[in-house]
Amino acid sequence: MTSTLNDKTALVTGSSRGIGRASALGLAREGALVAVHYGRDKQAARETVDLIEKDGGRAFAVGAELGTPGAVDQLFHQLEAGLREHTGETALDILVNNAAATTLGDAPEEVSAEQIDEIFAVNAKAPFLLVQRALGLIPDGGRIINISSAVTRRAVPPQIVYAMSKGALDQLTLHLARHLAPRQITVNSVLPGITDNGSAVFQIPEAREQMSQLSAFKRLGEPEEVANVVVFLATDRARWITGASLDATGGSLLG
């Protein structure tokens, strides 16, 4: 445990696995109290909390299925209760918008209107509503970190709707960075490349090899490598960075 985020509080959405879990662990190791959000898998979120506590950190779980009616209110009801229980107040210093939904590799011609609505509800609308709700809790000097994607910079037709939604998230970063600058609140995006989040596809050797070739280092990214960028942006060391999109792709965008 270190102390760069002592007395800070954080909410990481979608932190029951992958980049979200690694980010929650990283923030807790720096001293932050972390609200571990999950959509459906309460047990996985509990495992994240247990990992943090075994490491000497502090955390609690909050559950809400983002993209559904009332989810933001449900999440913040639990968040504020948890913050009061642990700190006596409801200040939220760091918000990490990580939770996301993705398409299943459908060709653009095959994407339904319902799929578009579902993806945008989770990846674009929910982060906007979360920030909107959180601004009453975030003190001056706070941090908002949006997890975007390398597909906003690279053409991947089967991921067109996902890419569009993450492009919208990048616009949220840009405009909020200007809007919140008078309060010294920084807003930044992190762009991961292909990162091994434990999904079934990463267990297939041929798929791993093919995906590895996209990185300049010819390997897959690890969640902790992206989380390190998130943690950096959450600290005072990144106070002069705002409105930025940080490439955490392992050189996948170099061409």
Side-chain angles (χ1 to χ4, degrees), residues 151-167:
V151 297
T152 61
R153 305 293 191 273
R154 185 186 184 106
V156 185
Q159 292 292 318
I160 186 171
V161 178
Y162 178 75
M164 289 165 60
S165 69
K166 289 297 189 176

Side-chain angles (χ1 to χ4, degrees), residues 93-150:
D93 300 287
I94 302 156
L95 170 61
V96 181
N97 282 311
N98 168 74
T102 185
T103 49
L104 298 176
D106 293 330
E109 298 87 347
E110 299 170 354
V111 176
S112 69
E114 290 75 19
Q115 284 178 303
I116 296 172
D117 289 343
E118 290 171 5
I119 296 296
F120 270 80
V122 178
N123 297 359
K125 183 178 180 180
F128 181 94
L129 295 176
L130 287 166
V131 171
Q132 190 178 58
R133 183 68 178 269
L135 285 178
L137 307 180
I138 298 177
D140 291 357
R143 300 284 186 265
I144 298 171
I145 302 162
N146 297 319
I147 307 301
S148 182
S149 172

Side-chain angles (χ1 to χ4, degrees), residues 30 50 107 173 209 222 230 255:
E30 294 294 327
D50 288 344
T173 292
E209 176 60 26
E222 296 295 333
V230 173

Side-chain angles (χ1 to χ4, degrees), residues 177-236:
R178 172 63 73 184
H179 180 63
L180 297 175
R183 293 183 53 192
Q184 307 300 308
I185 296 173
T186 67
V187 189
N188 292 289
S189 288
V190 177
L191 279 63
I194 297 178
T195 306
D196 186 350
N197 62 8
S199 296
V201 67
F202 293 102
Q203 310 308 314
I204 304 171
E206 296 80 4
R208 289 182 64 90
E209 176 60 26
Q210 185 177 13
M211 291 186 289
S212 295
Q213 296 308 306
L214 296 175
S215 164
F217 300 117
K218 304 304 179 187
R219 67 173 178 83
L220 298 174
E222 296 295 333
E224 292 76 15
E225 293 172 316
V226 180
N228 287 340
V229 181
V230 173
V231 173
F232 165 69
L233 288 172
T235 68
D236 191 56

